[in-house]
Amino acid sequence: MSTEVVSSSIPRRSVTMSKIHPLAPISGDEIKRAVALLRAQWPANTDIHFKAITLLEPTKAEAIPYLNAEKNGSQVPHIDRRVFGNYYLRRTNKFHEFVANLDNETIEYNVRLGDDFHAPIDGEEIFAMEALAMADEAVKAEIAKLKLAEGTTVIMDPWPYGSDGANDEARMFMGFLYARPPNHANEADFNHYALPLPISPVMDATARKVIRVDRLPTGKDNTIKETQPWKPQPTNEYVPEHQKLRTDLKPLNVSQPEGASFTVTEQGTLNRLQWQKWDMQVGFNQREGVVIHNVNYDGRQLFYRLSLSDMNIPYADPRSPYHRKSAFDLGDAGAGSMANNLKLGCDCLGSIHYLSATLSDDTGAPMNMENVVCIHEQDNGISWKHTNYRTQRAAIVRNRELVVQTIITVANYEYILAFIFNQAGEFTYEARATGILSTQPIDENTEVPWGTVVHPGVLAAHHQHIFSLRVDPMIDGHANRLVYDEAYAFPRSELNPHGTGYYTQETVVEKSGGYNLDFDKNRTFKIQNTNVRNPINGKPVAYKIHAPPFQKILADKDSFHYKRAEFSDKNIYAVKYREGELYAGGRYTNQSRGGQGVRGWADRNENIVDDDLVLFIQFGINHTPRIEDFPVMPCEMIKVTLKPVNFFDKNPAIDVPPSTQEFNRSTLAAEAKVGTNGEIACCTPSSAPKSNL
Amino acid sequence: MSTEVVSSSIPRRSVTMSKIHPLAPISGDEIKRAVALLRAQWPANTDIHFKAITLLEPTKAEAIPYLNAEKNGSQVPHIDRRVFGNYYLRRTNKFHEFVANLDNETIEYNVRLGDDFHAPIDGEEIFAMEALAMADEAVKAEIAKLKLAEGTTVIMDPWPYGSDGANDEARMFMGFLYARPPNHANEADFNHYALPLPISPVMDATARKVIRVDRLPTGKDNTIKETQPWKPQPTNEYVPEHQKLRTDLKPLNVSQPEGASFTVTEQGTLNRLQWQKWDMQVGFNQREGVVIHNVNYDGRQLFYRLSLSDMNIPYADPRSPYHRKSAFDLGDAGAGSMANNLKLGCDCLGSIHYLSATLSDDTGAPMNMENVVCIHEQDNGISWKHTNYRTQRAAIVRNRELVVQTIITVANYEYILAFIFNQAGEFTYEARATGILSTQPIDENTEVPWGTVVHPGVLAAHHQHIFSLRVDPMIDGHANRLVYDEAYAFPRSELNPHGTGYYTQETVVEKSGGYNLDFDKNRTFKIQNTNVRNPINGKPVAYKIHAPPFQKILADKDSFHYKRAEFSDKNIYAVKYREGELYAGGRYTNQSRGGQGVRGWADRNENIVDDDLVLFIQFGINHTPRIEDFPVMPCEMIKVTLKPVNFFDKNPAIDVPPSTQEFNRSTLAAEAKVGTNGEIACCTPSSAPKSNL
């Protein structure tokens, strides 16, 4: 791929940039420098358990002049490089945050947080907790009661402990156990989720010891039985070598003989991505994974920052310990640190560009995350078509999309997360939920209304997935407002004598708060800039939000689930921008208590009209498992789309070249190949062989 | 493409079929025979204006034994071929229906319908009405008042007249006029919708004369002004030769080097389509366009018949004559008769198989409709993925889909309609709305709340698109029921001490009626067969319905819009099957009065539990036009998906071969080509050139 700017409509930068772009994720070298600065604050040989070490993004007051200068080709101001990090003194509950200034080589901030704040889980802990539990005598004693067959492997997935207010001040893990039977002993990719065991060790993460071994309810109610000998159950594998694979699927290849239409220009660790009038910068961090900065279209400002803010997955089973299952996959773990290494030809088709990233491990060492983002184009059918019925001439354009995708694995579960841009000026955030259901043992011939039996002896509890997409807009500038349109029937009148008429009405959202959709009114939220008017119809330029409905969090308002999942009860939270308010559930969600997230920010009741508006757009699934979701779940897909409304002066995809056979080179299904010039002409009728039975 | 059955899981039929399959659309020869039989009923030289001549599908009582015999390979019963048709005695209001039996060469039925029934519009009329109006002296006189520049062409699009109860008993058309200025005189594909004129001729379709010339309101209210000299406005073209086309879009080709994975077997004019365990028969008719019959998956029955039943597009402008604009694109015109001739490489990518059809013209002559259906496969991203975090091994499968697509043009507007099947046993109906907005003149500097100015002097009125998908299920047999699940929070109790638990509850829909979604309860409708239980969890086999919410019809309950659009007020209508009840708005929607459609069928309050259930699933858009929707509209896409729920015993896509580079042959964006064996190995990290600005 060339690094040349391919479109003449995108101005080439003419001024030398400062060495490191202020939005560039920190490099491995910067991680080392920040760690060295922080270590110097402590006595030598202090054992520090690092959590995240990440770019502290510049304030908007700093970044906007920089980005404007960059865009205009003028001299960019200097912005100090700052690193944000957090850490424990290892094996203590002393949780700290720090900020290192790499320009003046100082630690600007280094404080211990209160005991209520718990760091997210990291990779070191996940393996350590499993090893710890498996070596624990009390756990072994409880497992022994299962009388598992000789050679059975017991596996433990650690889970964030959650919050219920009952002796849960310490940072803990709960573990769920599964069996791998002796005849699968050497299969590391055996699906242990098909064989859950009724034992749940609880570990103190600080003391690194098992503090309790819970037994799981397996019946219709919350009775906890003594651990009984385990009755072997059938297996249920997802890896291909255990399947009788279909043999009748023929290849479908996406080829881009002239390469991709996008350009990636590396700005250090930041990637400027240009495609079809879009221009943006792609970052990556431990918490959010992909972050899209500074999105412009044809030179016009659209979004200052786009990211997945968090997601919450509360489970339906009311019984202990399941009542604590409520994961925040970004806040409790991290979309960056859980990102998959993507493989060519496996995770996307066509001409792919991969981005790698550098995060840090628990020792503060840089950790390379290879190919955690893929960028590619895809065809999404027809963009627009019209056939003149008088002449029979069709004008038709296809809908090419640009996809910036990452895939995260959070223990059993996967999310495929994509930022998608098209040629009609539309941005879509797409989330696909897949992976393996979180399972638990259930007695034979037992049904419960909070879950589905997906395998003999295996219950998959209902759960909600509630995502929060953070959109920091700059629709033709940073002073934006949130409004919504609704449609109402006209009453009968002289104007509307036949009762057929209706009208739309716009309402301005005056104050920060949580707001809901209302499909019965066709309520449609728009981000508007009233200072810029459409040249044809005089309407304020705007982008509207298409978000699907979802059932809000079901846990009651006094529950910790509800208090912690601050974004889970409204379709949209609209707030006035403040520095650092990126995470809708609060910065630290692990065993959180609530009160640190977007619900509180909204309660400030601030003016958000023609101000620096930030939106958190929620979407989700109430996942009632089907047996079809096991042993691995066909993707459930949800999309949020932002579309221009009176922002352009006509269809922005009107100038996309027409869809022609010469360009697309399709074939008749009867034919193996199309000529090199696509000489199976457009309009040739099908000549597939015919047969009558 | 081979006509061999490609999957061993699909049994090959071993018994000779009767000559013509009972579900096969009628052929040109059959049209001629039916017409000859009908003509023989009338004196020689009676001038008959035919409307539709189409297969009268066999009753279920006949068809089911046939299909069962066909499936089992036993001798199929004989079913008489019957043709349904309707016609006028030309230039009269004498509208008739007939049924011809081609086996015994009789007319079994031939009756004149009441004066309230009006036939749909046909192609002959569309051109005749325009010519008639343009030649009319009163129309010319009114146009003269516009003082159009010499050489201006005036164009008229005829519209169904609609119903308002005011002297609207006769079958009429209303026309909307547009200008093509002299400097575009030779451009037949000029976009006249950008230049609407304030005159609307009304034609008597029977007498074939202009009976009135309405003037259009162009201000803020319903004042009708004297026709004023027309002020020239700018043009707004959609054809590519008038655009400055983008030059930076590179080709994206879909190649299927081994051909398509589906098999089409012609059964006369019926097409048996087999793909990835799916087996179905594809028909086509004048009214519905594509009809999918007899859908089986892996030998199990799923759907007896799938079709778009109708759609309604009521407009918001309350003023005369716009208050009558409420189109039924299937009932008033026909998805078959309006179907586009699809072009290779334009309307879909990859290996395409086209189906052609035979309809009839107004003289009763067969009319070839070339390439009105395309069948192809598409890749829709990832179907499922799981990465074992312990081994880092990813198992991943792509989501291949089979698409049966047709595109219809209804004057200014287009719909892209697709039946989509995937490897996880899911069926999706996808509708994309595109084409050109219906426009009307508006005074300068005028805004109205029922429309958007999309071009100088041009208003696009708000309108609703309400689609009705007819699903005749046979989930493991014909006795099915409709149920819905809802999710509720548990009250606090000993079982739910922390207020976190919730449960789902199933409700049986006992009686025919109209039912709504409720996202706040996560209400999910399922088609269930309680006689067949899942072997693992004992739940009844079912398919659930994912349908998006939409604002129901806004016209008030006493309006003709509401009465006519019988399906427009509920998300789902569930009825007990009766022969011939295919069209949710009634058989004849043109100037209809209501009372002939699904609302009335539902009102029979019949038992629908474990009976022959039929569903009409509604979905739609309240389209508030944006300027971005002009001069041609980027697709607005809506989908309804039916997914198995406890129908299979695990993920039905578990046996799809893994997604590998050898199979998919992707490339790094930096590279032009992949080797013939896909030798850019899976897992090779990106080697794209790097540059620092």
Side-chain angles (χ1 to χ4, degrees):
Chain A
M1 185 179 45
S2 164
T3 57
E4 286 295 311
V5 174
V6 290
S7 164
S8 58
S9 65
I10 302 167
R12 176 101 196 172
R13 288 162 189 165
S14 57
V15 173
T16 307
M17 293 190 185
S18 84
K19 231 176 24 247
I20 302 176
H21 195 287
L23 299 175
I26 57 169
S27 64
D29 175 61
E30 289 179 314
I31 289 170
K32 289 179 190 167
R33 289 167 57 208
V35 165
L37 289 169
L38 189 272
R39 285 197 191 281
Q41 303 283 306
W42 291 96
N45 300 324
T46 304
D47 193 357
I48 295 177
H49 184 144
F50 286 93
K51 287 292 177 176
I53 303 173
T54 191
L55 174 68
L56 179 63
E57 291 179 21
T59 65
K60 264 193 179 176
E62 292 175 306
I64 290 171
Y66 186 100
L67 296 175
N68 288 343
E70 181 179 46
K71 186 171 180 174
N72 300 332
S74 50
Q75 185 65 44
V76 296
H78 174 78
I79 301 176
D80 278 2
R81 287 287 282 178
R82 287 186 174 83
V83 172
F84 171 87
N86 47 29
Y87 63 92
Y88 283 100
L89 299 184
R90 201 179 290 268
R91 303 289 184 272
T92 77
N93 68 346
K94 293 177 176 144
F95 183 42
H96 294 70
E97 287 182 339
F98 72 99
V99 171
N101 182 319
L102 299 184
D103 278 75
N104 61 22
E105 306 213 318
T106 58
I107 293 293
E108 295 183 337
Y109 168 82
N110 181 26
V111 299
R112 183 175 166 195
L113 301 181
D115 288 350
D116 278 352
F117 293 96
H118 299 294
I121 297 170
D122 64 39
E124 185 274 337
E125 290 180 312
I126 290 169
F127 292 106
M129 289 300 143
E130 184 175 11
L132 169 67
M134 291 302 102
D136 182 81
E137 292 305 326
V139 174
K140 285 185 191 171
E142 202 61 37
I143 290 172
K145 296 179 189 168
L146 294 168
K147 301 194 188 303
L148 298 172
E150 176 87 21
T152 300
T153 313
V154 177
I155 294 161
M156 189 187 85
D157 277 15
W159 266 69
Y161 186 78
S163 296
D164 65 1
N167 294 318
D168 61 350
E169 293 79 14
R171 186 162 178 274
M172 292 180 281
F173 284 86
M174 56 182 166
F176 293 108
L177 301 190
Y178 308 90
R180 189 200 303 160
N183 56 341
H184 294 269
N186 297 319
E187 294 172 25
D189 289 293
F190 175 79
N191 177 22
H192 56 272
Y193 300 105
L195 301 176
L197 301 174
I199 298 168
S200 175
V202 174
M203 284 69 62
D204 183 310
T206 308
R208 298 248 162 168
K209 64 178 184 187
V210 173
I211 55 174
R212 198 169 78 229
V213 184
D214 289 341
R215 280 174 282 124
L216 302 175
T218 58
K220 287 172 119 57
D221 57 26
N222 56 358
T223 307
I224 304 283
K225 291 179 290 220
E226 265 303 319
T227 302
Q228 303 293 315
W230 188 70
K231 186 189 157 194
Q233 295 286 12
T235 58
N236 199 339
E237 300 303 298
Y238 67 90
V239 289
E241 60 269 30
H242 281 289
Q243 316 303 328
K244 184 164 182 282
L245 296 175
R246 299 176 187 211
T247 56
D248 57 350
L249 187 70
K250 297 182 181 174
L252 184 150
N253 304 143
V254 173
S255 72
Q256 300 188 255
E258 299 174 22
S261 313
F262 58 83
T263 306
V264 177
T265 308
E266 293 192 4
Q267 302 177 303
T269 56
L270 188 69
N271 288 279
R272 182 180 180 190
L273 175 56
Q274 290 166 288
W275 177 80
Q276 295 290 298
K277 303 185 188 177
W278 291 93
D279 190 353
M280 65 194 80
Q281 285 154 318
V282 182
F284 190 89
N285 65 46
Q286 178 274 334
R287 173 73 175 255
E288 299 157 288
V290 174
V291 178
I292 310 276
H293 299 280
N294 194 25
V295 181
N296 286 257
Y297 187 92
D298 207 10
R300 293 171 69 184
Q301 294 180 308
L302 288 182
F303 306 109
Y304 179 74
R305 194 178 191 280
L306 298 170
S307 64
L308 185 64
S309 177
D310 213 329
M311 68 171 97
N312 176 234
I313 304 99
Y315 281 74
D317 193 334
R319 303 170 302 175
S320 180
Y322 299 122
H323 72 287
R324 280 190 267 99
K325 279 179 80 176
S326 182
F328 293 82
D329 286 350
L330 275 64
D332 290 356
S337 43
M338 302 291 159
N340 285 198
N341 179 338
L342 301 174
K343 303 292 192 291
L344 188 69
C346 307
D347 297 290
C348 2
L349 302 186
S351 284
I352 322 296
H353 182 77
Y354 292 97
L355 303 181
S356 297
T358 304
L359 301 179
S360 55
D361 69 12
D362 65 299
T363 69
M367 186 168 67
N368 285 328
M369 302 286 289
E370 287 279 353
N371 293 5
V372 283
V373 180
C374 63
I375 300 173
H376 70 284
E377 292 177 276
Q378 66 188 16
D379 175 88
N380 186 7
I382 291 169
S383 171
W384 59 260
K385 181 176 187 179
H386 180 60
T387 301
N388 180 334
Y389 74 77
R390 293 174 175 87
T391 65
Q392 291 299 314
R393 176 176 167 191
I396 180 166
V397 156
R398 296 197 71 78
N399 181 19
R400 185 79 65 89
E401 296 177 331
L402 177 72
V403 184
V404 181
Q405 177 176 276
T406 189
I407 304 179
I408 66 173
T409 296
V410 192
N412 53 296
Y413 221 68
E414 263 76 15
Y415 297 95
I416 302 167
L417 305 169
F419 297 82
I420 302 174
F421 303 87
N422 77 10
Q423 297 158 308
E426 299 169 353
F427 157 63
T428 295
Y429 189 80
E430 178 189 287
R432 296 181 186 220
T434 179
I436 303 183
L437 290 160
S438 179
T439 57
Q440 60 194 71
I442 187 166
D443 298 343
E444 285 185 285
N445 303 315
T446 303
E447 279 196 22
V448 290
W450 54 75
T452 306
V453 171
V454 295
H455 182 70
V458 179
L459 183 73
H462 308 332
H463 53 281
Q464 297 183 271
H465 298 263
I466 305 174
F467 300 81
S468 180
L469 178 71
R470 186 176 183 277
V471 175
D472 184 344
M474 51 174 189
I475 306 298
D476 270 343
H478 291 272
N480 290 170
R481 58 170 66 181
L482 182 68
V483 303
Y484 56 85
D485 281 346
E486 294 178 331
Y488 291 100
F490 278 118
R492 294 253 177 169
S493 69
E494 196 187 332
L495 178 69
N496 181 40
H498 299 279
T500 56
Y502 71 90
Y503 62 99
T504 55
Q505 174 181 292
E506 186 178 287
T507 303
V508 179
V509 178
E510 302 277 352
K511 296 291 179 185
S512 62
Y515 299 93
N516 281 328
L517 296 171
D518 185 343
F519 287 90
D520 289 332
K521 295 178 177 161
N522 200 44
R523 187 179 294 162
T524 307
F525 286 90
K526 298 188 294 192
I527 309 164
Q528 226 180 37
N529 185 336
T530 54
N531 292 316
V532 183
R533 298 277 165 164
N534 188 283
I536 308 295
N537 63 21
K539 301 262 190 195
V541 297
Y543 261 68
K544 66 175 172 175
I545 302 165
H546 281 215
F550 70 101
Q551 190 175 30
K552 311 302 187 304
I553 189 166
L554 276 153
D556 73 34
K557 292 199 172 185
D558 296 321
S559 67
F560 277 110
H561 280 9
Y562 180 90
K563 289 177 188 168
R564 299 174 67 202
E566 302 211 13
F567 50 87
S568 61
D569 59 336
K570 297 288 178 184
N571 291 99
I572 293 183
Y573 271 102
V575 298
K576 180 171 173 171
Y577 177 84
R578 288 210 189 171
E579 292 300 335
E581 291 183 347
L582 294 172
Y583 315 119
R587 182 181 296 278
Y588 299 108
T589 58
N590 192 9
Q591 290 178 240
S592 63
R593 304 304 206 192
Q596 302 291 322
V598 72
R599 204 181 278 142
W601 311 336
D603 281 347
R604 292 190 300 244
N605 200 33
E606 291 179 295
N607 172 65
I608 52 168
V609 180
D610 304 339
D611 209 319
D612 195 355
L613 175 71
V614 175
L615 300 180
F616 293 83
I617 303 170
Q618 280 66 245
F619 55 101
I621 309 164
N622 186 337
H623 187 180
T624 304
R626 316 170 292 162
I627 203 164
E628 287 82 358
D629 295 331
F630 202 70
V632 63
M633 172 186 164
C635 275
E636 193 73 33
M637 182 162 60
I638 351 179
K639 295 184 184 199
V640 172
T641 298
L642 278 74
K643 298 190 182 198
V645 181
N646 303 314
F647 183 84
F648 298 100
D649 64 357
K650 59 173 66 178
N651 177 352
I654 196 74
D655 61 348
V656 176
S659 174
T660 63
Q661 170 62 0
E662 187 184 358
F663 191 76
N664 294 325
R665 303 184 61 207
S666 295
T667 58
L668 293 172
E671 316 223 355
K673 284 198 163 56
V674 64
T676 48
N677 300 316
E679 68 259 22
I680 294 173
C682 198
C683 319
T684 306
S686 169
S687 58
K690 300 182 177 192
S691 77
N692 287 291
L693 278 191
Chain B
M1 184 181 43
S2 164
T3 56
E4 285 296 311
V5 174
V6 289
S7 165
S8 59
S9 65
I10 302 167
R12 177 101 194 171
R13 287 162 189 166
S14 56
V15 172
T16 306
M17 291 192 186
S18 83
K19 233 178 19 248
I20 302 177
H21 194 286
L23 298 176
I26 56 170
S27 63
D29 174 62
E30 289 179 315
I31 289 171
K32 289 179 191 167
R33 289 165 59 205
V35 165
L37 289 169
L38 189 273
R39 286 197 191 282
Q41 302 283 306
W42 291 96
N45 301 324
T46 303
D47 193 357
I48 295 176
H49 184 143
F50 285 95
K51 288 292 179 176
I53 303 172
T54 191
L55 173 70
L56 179 61
E57 290 178 22
T59 65
K60 265 192 178 176
E62 291 175 305
I64 290 171
Y66 185 100
L67 296 174
N68 288 342
E70 182 180 45
K71 186 171 181 174
N72 300 333
S74 52
Q75 185 67 43
V76 296
H78 173 80
I79 299 176
D80 279 0
R81 287 286 283 177
R82 288 187 173 83
V83 172
F84 172 85
N86 47 29
Y87 63 92
Y88 282 101
L89 299 184
R90 199 179 291 268
R91 305 285 185 274
T92 77
N93 68 347
K94 294 176 175 143
F95 184 42
H96 295 72
E97 288 182 338
F98 73 98
V99 171
N101 181 320
L102 299 184
D103 278 75
N104 62 21
E105 306 212 318
T106 57
I107 293 293
E108 295 184 338
Y109 169 81
N110 182 24
V111 298
R112 183 175 165 194
L113 301 181
D115 288 348
D116 279 352
F117 294 97
H118 299 293
I121 297 170
D122 64 39
E124 185 274 336
E125 289 179 315
I126 288 170
F127 292 106
M129 289 300 143
E130 184 175 12
L132 168 66
M134 292 300 101
D136 181 79
E137 291 305 326
V139 174
K140 285 185 193 172
E142 202 62 36
I143 291 173
K145 296 180 190 169
L146 295 168
K147 300 194 189 303
L148 299 172
E150 176 87 22
T152 301
T153 313
V154 177
I155 294 162
M156 189 187 85
D157 276 17
W159 268 69
Y161 186 78
S163 296
D164 65 2
N167 295 317
D168 63 348
E169 294 77 14
R171 186 163 178 273
M172 293 179 282
F173 284 86
M174 56 181 166
F176 293 109
L177 300 191
Y178 308 90
R180 188 200 303 160
N183 56 340
H184 294 269
N186 297 320
E187 294 171 25
D189 289 294
F190 175 80
N191 177 22
H192 57 271
Y193 299 107
L195 301 176
L197 301 174
I199 299 168
S200 174
V202 174
M203 284 69 61
D204 182 311
T206 308
R208 298 245 163 171
K209 63 176 185 188
V210 173
I211 55 174
R212 199 168 79 229
V213 184
D214 289 342
R215 279 175 282 124
L216 301 176
T218 58
K220 286 170 121 57
D221 58 25
N222 56 358
T223 307
I224 304 283
K225 291 179 290 223
E226 266 302 320
T227 302
Q228 302 294 316
W230 188 70
K231 185 189 158 196
Q233 296 285 12
T235 58
N236 200 339
E237 300 303 297
Y238 67 91
V239 289
E241 60 269 30
H242 281 289
Q243 317 303 329
K244 183 161 182 284
L245 296 176
R246 299 176 188 213
T247 56
D248 57 351
L249 186 71
K250 296 180 181 176
L252 185 152
N253 303 143
V254 173
S255 73
Q256 300 188 256
E258 299 174 24
S261 312
F262 59 84
T263 306
V264 176
T265 309
E266 293 193 5
Q267 301 177 304
T269 55
L270 189 69
N271 288 278
R272 183 180 180 188
L273 174 58
Q274 290 165 290
W275 177 81
Q276 295 290 298
K277 304 186 189 179
W278 291 94
D279 190 353
M280 65 195 80
Q281 286 154 317
V282 183
F284 190 90
N285 65 46
Q286 178 275 333
R287 173 72 175 257
E288 299 158 288
V290 173
V291 178
I292 310 277
H293 300 279
N294 194 25
V295 180
N296 286 257
Y297 187 92
D298 207 11
R300 292 171 70 185
Q301 293 180 309
L302 287 183
F303 307 109
Y304 179 74
R305 193 177 193 281
L306 298 169
S307 64
L308 184 65
S309 178
D310 213 330
M311 67 171 98
N312 176 233
I313 304 99
Y315 280 75
D317 193 335
R319 303 171 301 176
S320 181
Y322 299 120
H323 72 288
R324 280 190 266 100
K325 279 179 80 173
S326 182
F328 293 82
D329 286 349
L330 275 64
D332 291 355
S337 43
M338 301 292 158
N340 286 197
N341 179 338
L342 302 174
K343 304 291 192 291
L344 188 69
C346 309
D347 298 290
C348 2
L349 302 186
S351 285
I352 322 296
H353 183 76
Y354 292 98
L355 303 181
S356 297
T358 304
L359 301 179
S360 55
D361 69 12
D362 66 299
T363 69
M367 186 168 67
N368 285 330
M369 303 285 289
E370 287 280 353
N371 293 4
V372 283
V373 180
C374 63
I375 301 173
H376 70 284
E377 293 177 277
Q378 67 188 16
D379 175 87
N380 186 7
I382 292 169
S383 171
W384 58 260
K385 181 175 186 179
H386 181 60
T387 300
N388 180 334
Y389 74 78
R390 293 174 175 85
T391 65
Q392 291 299 316
R393 176 176 168 191
I396 180 166
V397 155
R398 296 197 70 79
N399 181 18
R400 186 78 65 88
E401 295 178 330
L402 177 72
V403 184
V404 181
Q405 177 177 277
T406 188
I407 304 178
I408 66 173
T409 295
V410 192
N412 53 296
Y413 221 68
E414 262 76 14
Y415 297 95
I416 302 167
L417 305 169
F419 297 83
I420 302 173
F421 303 87
N422 77 10
Q423 296 160 309
E426 299 169 353
F427 157 62
T428 295
Y429 188 80
E430 177 189 287
R432 296 182 186 218
T434 180
I436 303 182
L437 289 160
S438 180
T439 58
Q440 60 194 70
I442 186 167
D443 298 342
E444 284 184 282
N445 303 314
T446 303
E447 279 195 22
V448 291
W450 54 76
T452 306
V453 171
V454 294
H455 182 70
V458 180
L459 183 74
H462 307 333
H463 53 281
Q464 297 182 271
H465 298 262
I466 306 172
F467 300 81
S468 180
L469 178 71
R470 186 177 183 277
V471 174
D472 185 345
M474 52 173 190
I475 305 298
D476 270 343
H478 291 271
N480 291 169
R481 59 170 67 180
L482 183 68
V483 303
Y484 56 86
D485 280 347
E486 293 177 333
Y488 292 98
F490 277 117
R492 293 251 176 169
S493 70
E494 196 187 331
L495 178 69
N496 181 40
H498 299 280
T500 57
Y502 71 89
Y503 63 99
T504 55
Q505 174 180 293
E506 185 178 288
T507 303
V508 178
V509 178
E510 302 277 353
K511 295 291 179 185
S512 62
Y515 300 93
N516 281 328
L517 296 170
D518 186 342
F519 286 91
D520 290 332
K521 295 178 176 160
N522 199 43
R523 186 179 293 162
T524 306
F525 286 89
K526 298 188 295 191
I527 309 164
Q528 224 181 38
N529 186 336
T530 55
N531 292 316
V532 183
R533 298 278 168 165
N534 188 284
I536 308 295
N537 64 20
K539 301 264 190 194
V541 297
Y543 261 69
K544 67 175 172 174
I545 301 166
H546 280 216
F550 70 100
Q551 190 176 30
K552 313 301 189 304
I553 189 166
L554 277 153
D556 73 33
K557 291 199 174 187
D558 295 321
S559 68
F560 277 109
H561 280 10
Y562 180 91
K563 288 177 186 166
R564 299 174 67 201
E566 302 212 13
F567 50 87
S568 61
D569 59 337
K570 296 287 178 185
N571 291 99
I572 294 183
Y573 271 102
V575 298
K576 180 170 173 172
Y577 177 84
R578 287 209 187 171
E579 293 297 337
E581 291 184 347
L582 295 172
Y583 315 120
R587 182 181 296 279
Y588 299 108
T589 58
N590 192 7
Q591 290 179 241
S592 63
R593 304 304 206 191
Q596 303 290 321
V598 72
R599 204 180 278 142
W601 311 336
D603 281 347
R604 291 190 300 244
N605 201 31
E606 291 178 295
N607 173 65
I608 53 168
V609 180
D610 304 339
D611 208 319
D612 195 354
L613 175 70
V614 175
L615 300 180
F616 293 83
I617 303 169
Q618 280 66 245
F619 55 101
I621 310 165
N622 186 336
H623 186 181
T624 304
R626 315 170 293 163
I627 204 165
E628 286 84 356
D629 295 332
F630 201 70
V632 62
M633 172 186 165
C635 275
E636 193 73 31
M637 181 161 61
I638 353 179
K639 296 184 182 199
V640 172
T641 298
L642 278 75
K643 297 190 181 198
V645 182
N646 303 313
F647 183 84
F648 297 101
D649 64 357
K650 60 173 66 177
N651 177 351
I654 196 73
D655 61 350
V656 175
S659 175
T660 62
Q661 170 63 359
E662 186 184 359
F663 192 76
N664 294 325
R665 305 183 60 208
S666 295
T667 57
L668 294 172
E671 317 226 354
K673 284 201 164 55
V674 64
T676 47
N677 300 316
E679 67 259 22
I680 294 175
C682 198
C683 320
T684 304
S686 168
S687 58
K690 301 185 176 189
S691 76
N692 286 291
L693 277 190

